[in-house]
């Protein structure tokens, strides 16, 4: 089974008798409905509905400390713990950044078995992503994280900080509505009104989408252009595949006008991902 220890991922644990209720009112996913052995994809948002941090969250068995384990970008783990602590008020919960004690490993390609002392859950964003394991570093399988990155990019799965900017991106723009990252039936959470309005009005014109290119990869952060118009920003890339945050309407305009879509002079071809349920340029919804 291919596997990769992900050194850029950290772990935040939330415990306490009111942990479920506390988290349910804060994050986009339904933590009350996730059983042991499964995970949910979600995010903490600003009151304006933009992503502060996204994560995978799974319940931990009592034998390994209990509570909920948040698999998050390590650079943002301490900040997430601080923000959750800010919201805690009098709730009977404890929040701790455990990134120095726990690591995250991705496993894909076949069924997985947890290491002793590890917490294993299937990645809910896409069947091809496989599994995530949270475990003490001695149990984390060490291999090339670049292999997982290439695998993620081929599947068209965005990564925060590379494919979209934290604090300046709505969940729909990061495809969280397509990748099981938003529960539209669970009730109120921070930023929920904005997200629901975008869902019902279909107002997400910008999304992170896969792109293909023939040779050298464009640098992350380069403007993507079509004709004389900027239509988005290039994100991560590997082995001829990449992700870019693009205006879908401007992709359609470029295709209709026959304008090349480029980043840094490198031609890009937008590719519809297999998980897309939104209207792709030139197609009807579900086409």
């Amino acid at each position: 089974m291919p596997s990769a220890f992900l050194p850029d991922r950290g772990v935040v644990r939330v415990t306490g008798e009111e942990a479920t209720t506390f988290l349910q009112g804060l994050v986009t996913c339904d933590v009350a409905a996730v059983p042991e052995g499964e995970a949910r994809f979600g995010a903490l948002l600003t009151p304006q509905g933009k992503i502060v941090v996204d994560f995978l969250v799974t319940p931990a068995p009592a034998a390994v400390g209990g509570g909920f384990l948040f698999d998050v970008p390590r650079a943002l783990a301490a900040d997430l713990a601080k923000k959750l602590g800010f919201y805690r008020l009098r709730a009977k919960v404890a929040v701790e950044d455990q990134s120095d004690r726990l690591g995250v490993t991705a496993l894909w390609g076949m069924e997985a078995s947890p290491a002793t002392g590890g917490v294993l859950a299937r990645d809910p964003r896409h069947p091809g992503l496989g599994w995530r394991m949270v475990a003490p570093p001695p149990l984390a399988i060490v291999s090339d994280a670049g292999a997982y990155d290439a695998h993620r990019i081929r599947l068209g799965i965005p990564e925060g900080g590379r494919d979209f900017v934290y604090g300046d991106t709505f969940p729909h723009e990061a495809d969280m509505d397509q990748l099981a990252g938003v529960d539209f039936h669970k009730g109120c959470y921070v930023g929920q009104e904005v997200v629901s309005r975008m869902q019902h009005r279909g107002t997400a014109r910008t999304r992170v989408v896969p792109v293909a290119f023939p040779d050298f990869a464009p640098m992350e952060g380069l403007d993507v252009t079509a004709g004389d118009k900027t239509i988005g920003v290039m994100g991560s890339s590997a082995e001829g595949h990449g992700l870019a945050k693009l205006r879908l309407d401007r992709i359609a305009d470029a295709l209709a006008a026959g304008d090349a879509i480029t980043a840094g002079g490198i031609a890009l071809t937008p590719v519809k991902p297999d998980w897309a349920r939104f209207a792709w340029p030139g197609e009807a919804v579900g086409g």
Side-chain angles (χ1 to χ4, degrees), residues 110-227:
M110 62 183 73
E111 291 300 302
S113 298
T116 302
V119 176
L120 184 73
R122 189 178 292 278
D123 193 319
R125 294 173 293 177
H126 190 287
L129 283 173
W131 303 77
R132 305 284 274 221
M133 183 175 69
V134 177
L139 298 178
I141 303 165
V142 180
S143 59
D144 181 14
Y148 173 76
D149 209 36
H151 179 63
R152 170 189 67 79
I153 292 167
R154 281 194 298 271
L155 294 175
I157 309 300
E159 180 177 289
R162 299 184 66 186
D163 303 311
F164 62 88
V165 177
Y166 287 117
D168 194 38
T169 303
F170 294 106
H172 285 73
E173 295 177 332
D175 303 321
M176 292 190 67
D177 61 315
Q178 307 287 299
L179 299 172
V182 181
D183 189 300
F184 292 102
H185 305 290
K186 68 171 225 133
C188 295
Y189 54 86
V190 176
Q192 182 262 342
E193 291 185 6
V194 178
V195 175
S196 294
R197 188 161 57 245
M198 291 186 72
Q199 175 73 3
H200 294 303
R201 294 181 179 178
T203 53
R205 295 184 299 176
T206 300
R207 285 190 178 272
V208 178
V209 299
V211 293
F213 46 88
D215 197 357
F216 297 104
M219 292 178 59
E220 289 183 24
L222 283 177
D223 285 343
V224 178
T225 61

Side-chain angles (χ1 to χ4, degrees), residues 218 222-223 225 261-268:
L222 283 177
D223 285 343
T225 61
I261 298 174
T262 63
I266 298 171
L268 303 178

Side-chain angles (χ1 to χ4, degrees), residues 9-90:
R9 303 296 293 184
V11 179
V12 172
R13 189 191 296 266
V14 179
T15 56
E17 61 184 270
E18 295 180 350
T20 301
T21 303
F22 167 70
L23 293 171
Q24 194 75 339
L26 291 178
V27 301
T28 62
C29 57
D30 188 352
V31 297
V34 53
E36 286 187 9
E38 295 187 17
R40 293 291 184 267
F41 178 41
L44 178 67
L45 309 181
T46 67
Q48 295 75 35
K50 295 188 176 182
I51 301 170
V52 174
V53 60
D54 58 345
F55 50 76
L56 297 174
V57 58
T58 189
V64 292
F68 291 91
L69 296 175
F70 285 76
D71 165 356
V72 300
R74 181 155 189 173
L76 298 179
D79 190 50
L80 173 61
K82 182 178 180 180
K83 288 183 182 300
L84 291 178
F86 173 79
Y87 282 114
R88 185 175 62 86
L89 300 177
R90 297 180 181 176

